Amino acid sequence: MAKYNYITKECLFCDGTDAADHPILYKKNFMDEDLNADVFSARRTTEHFHYDMLKCKKTGLIFSRYILDDDALNELYKESVVTFGEQTEFIKRDYWQPIAGYVKKWKTKKALDIGCSNGFFLEVLKDNGYEEVYGVEPGEEPKKIARPDVRDNIHTGFYGPGLYPANSFDLITCFQTLDHLSDPLGMLKNMYENVKPGGNVYMIMHNTKALQAKLFGEKSPIIDVEHIYLFNKENLPKLCEKAGFKVVSVFDVKNGYPYSYWIRMSPLPLKKLWVGLFKAIGMYKKVLAINAGNMGIILEK
């Protein structure tokens, strides 16, 4: 007997999911008993669990066909923990840099970060002139370790209709979250409602056409049970336009982390040997900045 209830997902761009135009890319490779809150914690070393994953021949959209229902996902994410503490300062820098020039021209009164974790980007926004910052995070533990001046404005739960009034925010940010959702179009439409006319949305997520995704295939960190819909730089703008947004820019995002992080997250064989080698040559804690497979998008209402 299955431990969880499953629901069926369709292609976001087609009427239905016929087998001819949506072949199975990777077959499901886990049992319900394999899943726990740790598997749904951010930036962990992936177990490479995934659902049946299909690929749309027309748009290149990669998506999971039969997924856990929202109740099950809510419970798993609620107990998830923050695992990227030592990378926080690197992430702050990498996520801020693409919009630093834009913010000089934007209104900076009120911002919302969806999937805000421990509020690290709320800190960045507040430190760079935003008067009011709000966050939404399903995990209970991240809020507890958030900086005191942003903690009280973090809502524990899921973002959805009715959580905030229409036309509330000058900026909405969302990092590595849209691809985790069972209804990304619904979320984009809700973001469109919540952002002010002339306001902006800034998102970062994985790019299925990036080199690492092509190189590692099923062993890529992006092929994961957390990811329900995976996008590229062509189909993501189309979905955003479907929600009503004007696309301002789509771009690659460079990430800079120590070699220790890259080794841990990559599907390299014999990792202990790689660790020993990089420690021996004094490179283990040196920072390497590369286009690791992430893309950003800036939208306007």
Side-chain angles (χ1 to χ4, degrees):
M1 184 176 177
K3 182 178 178 180
Y4 299 111
N5 294 321
Y6 283 75
I7 57 176
T8 303
K9 302 311 297 181
E10 304 289 351
C11 178
L12 297 173
F13 300 101
C14 304
D15 295 328
T17 303
D18 57 289
D21 284 334
H22 303 85
I24 293 178
L25 191 62
Y26 306 117
K27 292 285 291 181
K28 178 183 173 182
N29 66 352
F30 67 89
M31 296 187 295
D32 287 4
E33 291 74 20
D34 295 322
L35 302 183
N36 53 51
D38 289 340
V39 173
F40 286 78
S41 295
R43 293 178 183 268
R44 73 195 192 282
T45 302
T46 179
E47 302 82 2
H48 297 292
F49 295 152
H50 58 76
Y51 304 107
D52 281 349
M53 302 198 76
L54 282 58
K55 183 175 182 178
C56 177
K57 288 184 176 180
K58 297 176 182 177
T59 66
L61 180 72
I62 294 174
F63 63 101
S64 299
R65 179 63 165 150
Y66 306 106
I67 69 166
L68 300 184
D69 66 13
D70 284 347
D71 288 342
L73 290 172
N74 288 354
E75 287 302 312
L76 289 163
Y77 278 117
K78 185 170 71 173
E79 301 299 326
S80 64
V81 297
V82 176
T83 63
F84 57 86
E86 61 186 17
Q87 283 90 41
T88 300
E89 293 306 313
F90 300 111
I91 302 169
K92 283 183 176 181
R93 177 204 60 207
D94 294 342
Y95 285 9
W96 173 252
Q97 191 278 328
I99 63 166
Y102 287 97
V103 169
K104 295 175 183 178
K105 303 174 184 177
W106 292 348
K107 293 181 180 178
T108 56
K109 181 173 175 56
K110 196 171 180 181
L112 170 69
D113 186 24
I114 301 170
C116 69
S117 186
N118 60 1
F120 69 88
F121 204 73
L122 298 180
E123 298 173 14
V124 176
L125 292 169
K126 193 164 187 179
D127 293 346
N128 282 277
Y130 278 85
E131 298 173 28
E132 298 178 61
V133 295
Y134 296 82
V136 180
E137 168 55 40
E140 295 180 343
E141 189 246 17
K143 180 176 179 176
K144 296 176 183 177
I145 60 175
R147 202 168 78 180
D149 62 329
V150 302
R151 184 184 301 143
D152 288 346
N153 284 350
I154 296 176
H155 169 79
T156 302
F158 280 78
Y159 175 71
L163 188 58
Y164 299 103
N167 306 319
S168 292
F169 300 99
D170 299 299
L171 174 67
I172 297 178
T173 59
C174 181
F175 306 123
Q176 310 294 9
T177 298
L178 192 72
D179 38 22
H180 291 232
L181 302 176
S182 63
D183 182 17
L185 179 58
M187 176 174 166
L188 285 168
K189 288 179 177 179
N190 201 57
M191 293 163 75
Y192 186 86
E193 180 179 344
N194 286 151
V195 74
K196 296 177 182 178
N200 297 95
V201 167
Y202 167 43
M203 299 187 291
I204 291 175
M205 66 201 71
H206 305 293
N207 177 8
T208 59
K209 286 191 174 182
L211 179 61
Q212 67 88 2
K214 294 178 180 178
L215 197 61
F216 295 123
E218 190 175 4
K219 291 300 182 182
S220 166
I222 75 172
I223 304 301
D224 185 83
V225 68
E226 285 194 272
H227 295 148
I228 299 170
Y229 288 98
L230 288 165
F231 304 94
N232 59 46
K233 287 162 73 174
E234 288 77 43
N235 56 37
L236 176 61
K238 292 178 181 178
L239 189 70
C240 295
E241 289 170 344
K242 203 172 180 180
F245 287 106
K246 172 188 174 184
V247 177
V248 176
S249 180
V250 185
F251 48 90
D252 293 320
V253 175
K254 185 171 284 190
N255 299 103
Y257 300 117
Y259 280 92
S260 58
Y261 174 84
W262 294 123
I263 293 170
R264 178 168 63 85
M265 294 300 290
S266 71
L268 289 169
L270 305 172
K271 286 192 180 183
K272 288 184 179 180
L273 292 179
W274 287 101
V275 169
L277 172 63
F278 277 85
K279 284 184 176 180
I281 62 177
M283 296 289 288
Y284 193 61
K285 294 191 178 297
K286 297 287 186 181
V287 174
L288 172 66
I290 58 174
N291 291 329
N294 291 321
M295 60 179 174
I297 189 167
I298 296 172
L299 308 171
E300 183 180 307
K301 179 173 178 177

